[in-house]
Amino acid sequence: MIVCRRDRRRTWLLAVVLSAAAVIAGDRWVVATDSPIGRTVAEIIVVNSGGSAGRIHPPEHVLGAMHSRAGKPYDEGLIQEDVRRLHATKWFAPGGVRVHAKIDPDGRVTVFVQVTELTSTVQDVQYIGAEHISPDKLKELAGVRKGEPMNPLSNEVGRQAILRQYQEDGRFLASVDLVEGGKPADARVVYSIVEGPVVKVAGVEFRGNTHAETGRLKTQLATKREFIGVFGGKFNPMSVDMDLKQLVEYYHRLGFLSVRITPEVVRTADPSHVRIVYHIVEGIQYRVGGTQFEGNKTFDAGALSPLTDLKAGERYDEGVVRADMQRVKYKYGIHGHNVAVDKQVYEDPDQPGTVRVHYVVQGDRGEPDRVGRVIIEGNTVTQDRVIMNQLGIYPGQVLQYPKLEDARMRLARLGIFDTNNPPEVLVEQNDLDSNFKDVLVRVGETRTGQVMIGGGINSNAGLTGNFVINERNFDICRFPTSWDDFRTGRAWRGAGQELRLEAQPGTQYQQYRATFREPYLFDTQFGFSDSVYYFQRQYIEYMENRIGDRITIDRRLDSIWKASVTTRIEEVEVKNVPVYAPPSISNFQGWNFLLGIRGGLTRDTRDSFIFPTKGNVFDIGFEQVLGKYTFPIGTAEFTQFFSSKYLQREDGSGKHVLAVRSQVGVEGANAPVYERFYAGGFRSLRGFTFRGVGPVENDLHTGGTFSFLNTVEYQVPILQNDRLFFVTFLDHGTVEQTVEIKNYRVSAGFGFRINVPALGPLPIALDFAFPLNQAPGDNKQLFSFYVGLFGG
């Protein structure tokens, strides 16, 4: 018997009392009639029901595993957590930890912890028949070690974990039996394993789907068929369960609320293959009879209804309902109300096939919450201000709950915290006032340095390599003071700055760059970046070397507008000029000093940076260039994306997208050849070579001071999974020596956009273009390829 005090007679009496209480109460908590919650804990006494003969772990070990402490307020939630922690030690029998709280005459609480220890120990662990899982992995899965207490429940959990791993590996027919270790008196833990073959999916079939397309149903599945008889396709029963859930949710988005789907695993003649058949009874497609709100106090229905897209008479769409709920929750949250928004869907008995949707607001107290303390934990290297700049939340403000999720996502996107234990932004009750909530930020430090080696190829620049060293949590002021700063990773780290060193050698051009960026200059909303670079490119007309420094200060004005001011200081060398080159090129040979100051403004409302379907991008800038040559440069670009619900699948996928882009540039007549405008190639005029459009002298392109380029592109999906698109486009525009339109070029073509997830988010673009109108001296190019965004 184990107690925390030496009164043995009292200990035996307590054991008898607790045993009787356990018989009466079963597995429930035994508490005094007057609640102990909130009272001060006087003492925690550990009682071993097996007596002193059954003691293996002294009371200090038991108390050390608990978080409850004498002198602290009694917290039933913490007590329950302690029970779970004690069971997790595997020291005790199943159900062998029970707690009783007794209120003492002085108003304090004595807590009794009754434990039943496992007295036998594991003498040996065997895995009979295991060939395809390593011994170390089996030990990890079973969680059983020689010398540990014999715990039958834990051994059974280990058996299930091993079986689950075999099934995840595709061994559907595998079996795992616990031959020994199922009884407390056993001395060994023995698992008998029959692995069986790797079972693969020969095919997936849908039967009964008359409305939903088979191709779209397949995109909902995690389970894939075997590819060319070799790759993938491992069968996992748990994946079928997840697929079933996804299919039901998909049908709900289409309005089929009464759909029934039954999966069937069909054995084939080959025991290593199965077919999965989903039997579907779609039922009827429900339409919306009406909507209403319940539980809303702060905002009436008139203020909330405009936030919902679900309309009476339209088909029911689970996706639209969830988006409506999210917008209602956002409105409450941005005004300081932490509410939950649920839905209730009722079938209208008077109108078959019609449902009414009730949006239920829960927790609307009417009073907005405010920010109390902001507490940051876990940042052993990163400075508090780096995290505070991402939060944008300060004590005393109305607590805008959506900003908490935005802050969490921004912290995660920084790439300076542990991805396995991502940042958390939590709200806790403040001790002083019910309307004040503390904001708790938990982060975990990780390695933030990165080395990347890669390469690329496109029709404009040829073959290029890419070598990058990047530190995302740089601190230019954190000088190392000892070797230990290097060993612990504290040197030059912690301020949330970025230092990037990049080398891009290539067949046609090379570039080397070192960039420093401070996203919150002096803890303001202004960003600062400084980039030093060397650039070399061989053109047909000459070779260009450019050494420079570009300094930018930018500020995001709101969610769509951004302003910037950039200064560039460069030395530009023009060399290897042909002897027959005209003066418009040869006059600029040698080194030329350049100083440019540019102001820019950008507006971006796209719904996606990778595959936009609506919204637009507008960019305008003006630069005054000084130095050996003085001239102004003005540019403007606008791109608009259009899509329609009438040109997409019923579930919202497969959108047809029309993109229209126009850009114009004008600069002074004194602009040198290396600063003039050129056209041709992707994001310009396809059907012509890179820099193959513009004024020509002696068969060499000299560039122009006026550029006007336009693109109209239409994109249509080909595959049901939206990873292959067909595009057709019309590029048109010109580059002239002065502000005029004299030689207008037009090209038309088609192409494909291929999304390969393994190669990153940007699509591969393959385009074929045919000039319809061209000028003398233009260089044509039928095919162009690159990795880039839709819209030219």
Side-chain angles (χ1 to χ4, degrees), residues 370-390:
R370 292 187 175 273
V371 181
R373 298 175 298 169
V374 178
I375 306 168
I376 302 174
E377 298 178 352
N379 55 320
T380 56
V381 175
T382 305
Q383 300 173 19
D384 283 354
R385 68 175 188 85
V386 175
I387 298 172
M388 290 297 297
N389 284 331
Q390 298 297 326

Side-chain angles (χ1 to χ4, degrees), residues 557-587:
L557 306 178
D558 56 26
S559 60
I560 61 175
W561 286 97
K562 183 178 180 180
S564 63
V565 176
T566 300
T567 298
R568 60 175 174 136
I569 305 171
E570 296 179 337
E571 279 283 351
V572 183
E573 182 187 24
V574 176
K575 66 178 185 177
N576 296 345
V577 178
V579 294
Y580 57 88
S584 55
I585 297 177
S586 60
N587 286 349

Side-chain angles (χ1 to χ4, degrees), residues 697-729:
E697 295 182 50
N698 298 346
D699 294 328
L700 298 177
H701 287 86
T702 59
T705 60
F706 172 68
S707 172
F708 180 53
L709 305 175
N710 306 273
T711 293
V712 178
E713 184 166 310
Y714 189 70
Q715 174 178 281
V716 181
I718 296 177
L719 298 181
Q720 295 278 1
N721 60 10
D722 289 349
R723 290 183 179 174
L724 176 63
F725 296 86
F726 173 79
V727 299
T728 182
F729 55 85

Side-chain angles (χ1 to χ4, degrees), residues 206-211 251 278-282:
F206 299 92
R207 297 178 183 175
N209 56 308
T210 58
H211 190 93
Y251 266 102
Y278 292 94
H279 300 274
I280 302 173
V281 179
E282 292 182 333

Side-chain angles (χ1 to χ4, degrees), residues 212-241:
E213 300 177 22
T214 297
R216 287 302 300 167
L217 291 176
K218 287 184 177 180
T219 64
Q220 310 302 312
L221 305 180
T223 302
K224 305 298 182 183
R225 63 173 296 178
E226 185 181 25
F227 181 63
I228 65 173
V230 179
F231 303 104
K234 291 182 179 179
F235 175 67
N236 184 352
M238 289 183 291
S239 295
V240 175
D241 294 337

Side-chain angles (χ1 to χ4, degrees), residues 460-774:
N460 280 9
L463 180 65
T464 59
N466 195 24
F467 180 78
V468 178
I469 300 175
N470 193 44
E471 171 56 60
R472 299 182 298 271
N473 197 12
F474 188 67
D475 186 348
I476 196 172
C477 297
R478 196 166 192 169
F479 294 89
T481 58
S482 67
W483 175 252
D484 192 58
D485 285 346
F486 288 101
R487 185 180 61 81
T488 59
R490 295 177 179 273
W492 309 107
R493 293 182 64 237
Q497 301 160 353
E498 182 176 11
L499 179 66
R500 183 181 181 92
L501 307 177
E502 186 172 9
Q504 289 183 293
T507 57
Q508 297 183 28
Y509 90 100
Q510 56 181 322
Q511 179 177 254
Y512 305 90
R513 182 182 298 268
T515 302
F516 168 81
R517 175 157 178 79
E518 167 59 78
Y520 293 92
L521 185 62
F522 305 122
D523 294 328
T524 67
Q525 295 299 308
F526 289 91
F528 170 84
S529 64
D530 186 5
S531 183
V532 180
Y533 51 89
Y534 168 72
F535 169 89
Q536 182 186 81
R537 172 133 195 178
Q538 177 65 61
Y539 302 112
I540 296 176
E541 295 80 11
Y542 57 88
M543 175 179 283
E544 177 182 317
N545 289 314
R546 193 179 291 249
I547 302 173
D549 185 8
R550 187 181 298 264
I551 300 172
T552 300
I553 295 178
D554 57 68
R555 191 183 195 284
R556 183 164 290 283
L557 306 178
D558 56 26
S559 60
I560 61 175
W561 286 97
K562 183 178 180 180
S564 63
V565 176
T566 300
T567 298
R568 60 175 174 136
I569 305 171
E570 296 179 337
E571 279 283 351
V572 183
E573 182 187 24
V574 176
K575 66 178 185 177
N576 296 345
V577 178
V579 294
Y580 57 88
S584 55
I585 297 177
S586 60
N587 286 349
F588 301 101
Q589 292 188 80
W591 287 98
N592 304 274
F593 176 73
L594 179 153
L595 170 65
I597 302 175
R598 182 185 189 274
L601 189 64
T602 303
R603 180 180 185 273
D604 192 343
T605 64
R606 290 174 295 177
D607 59 343
S608 169
F609 294 117
I610 307 301
F611 285 102
T613 63
K614 61 181 179 180
N616 55 66
V617 185
F618 173 68
D619 181 84
I620 188 171
F622 176 81
E623 181 178 24
Q624 180 61 52
V625 180
L626 307 172
K628 189 172 183 179
Y629 304 98
T630 301
F631 55 96
I633 304 175
T635 59
E637 181 174 349
F638 180 78
T639 304
Q640 176 70 53
F641 299 89
F642 301 93
S643 60
S644 171
K645 66 179 182 180
Y646 301 108
L647 293 173
Q648 63 183 34
R649 302 187 188 99
E650 188 178 17
D651 61 5
S653 66
K655 291 183 178 180
H656 294 213
V657 181
L658 175 68
V660 179
R661 179 174 60 87
S662 290
Q663 63 181 49
V664 61
V666 181
E667 59 187 353
N670 200 34
V673 65
Y674 50 83
E675 289 292 313
R676 294 178 193 153
F677 297 119
Y678 299 85
F682 64 84
R683 284 199 58 82
S684 182
L685 292 176
R686 285 162 289 190
F688 301 91
T689 62
F690 176 64
R691 288 174 48 124
V693 172
V696 176
E697 295 182 50
N698 298 346
D699 294 328
L700 298 177
H701 287 86
T702 59
T705 60
F706 172 68
S707 172
F708 180 53
L709 305 175
N710 306 273
T711 293
V712 178
E713 184 166 310
Y714 189 70
Q715 174 178 281
V716 181
I718 296 177
L719 298 181
Q720 295 278 1
N721 60 10
D722 289 349
R723 290 183 179 174
L724 176 63
F725 296 86
F726 173 79
V727 299
T728 182
F729 55 85
L730 182 71
D731 293 347
H732 55 102
T734 187
V735 174
E736 306 285 0
Q737 290 182 338
T738 59
V739 181
E740 62 178 346
I741 297 179
K742 184 169 61 175
N743 295 305
Y744 204 75
R745 285 83 165 178
V746 180
S747 66
F750 66 91
F752 301 92
R753 302 291 179 267
I754 307 171
N755 181 22
V756 182
L759 299 181
L762 295 179
I764 298 173
L766 308 174
D767 288 334
F768 299 86
F770 308 91
L772 303 180
N773 193 39
Q774 62 189 78

Side-chain angles (χ1 to χ4, degrees), residues 277-299:
V277 180
Y278 292 94
H279 300 274
I280 302 173
V281 179
E282 292 182 333
I284 61 175
Q285 189 177 38
Y286 285 87
R287 307 196 77 79
V288 179
T291 62
Q292 68 183 67
F293 291 89
E294 297 178 4
N296 51 308
K297 298 177 182 178
T298 304
F299 303 105

